[in-house]
Amino acid sequence: MTVQCCSCQKVRSPQGWRKPIKAELITKQVTHTYCPSCYSEARLFIEKWKKDNA
Ligand SMILES: [Zn+2]
């Protein structure tokens, strides 16, 4: 199972997050999540959204 960031499209590997190879996205099952850097960005976005919509 390939784990891919839904924001920057990087994939998780034992060596860390890297750019995906096209073939592995076609041949393997892919699940989407946030990589650590996009996760912190998304969290900031949610916090801002909460403030704006409070
Ligand atoms: Zn990412």
Side-chain angles (χ1 to χ4, degrees):
M1 180 80 84
T2 302
V3 180
Q4 183 179 35
C5 176
C6 62
S7 184
C8 68
Q9 315 302 313
K10 283 180 186 169
V11 294
R12 195 169 65 188
S13 76
Q15 292 79 37
W17 290 81
R18 57 166 172 78
K19 285 191 174 174
I21 298 157
K22 220 176 194 180
E24 74 191 350
L25 300 179
I26 296 165
T27 56
K28 290 183 190 170
Q29 273 195 302
V30 179
T31 184
H32 287 92
T33 186
Y34 282 111
C35 71
S37 69
C38 292
Y39 175 73
S40 55
E41 262 179 54
R43 212 176 42 186
L44 287 176
F45 179 82
I46 291 164
E47 288 305 314
K48 186 184 181 303
W49 187 89
K50 272 199 226 163
K51 239 181 250 171
D52 292 348
N53 290 275

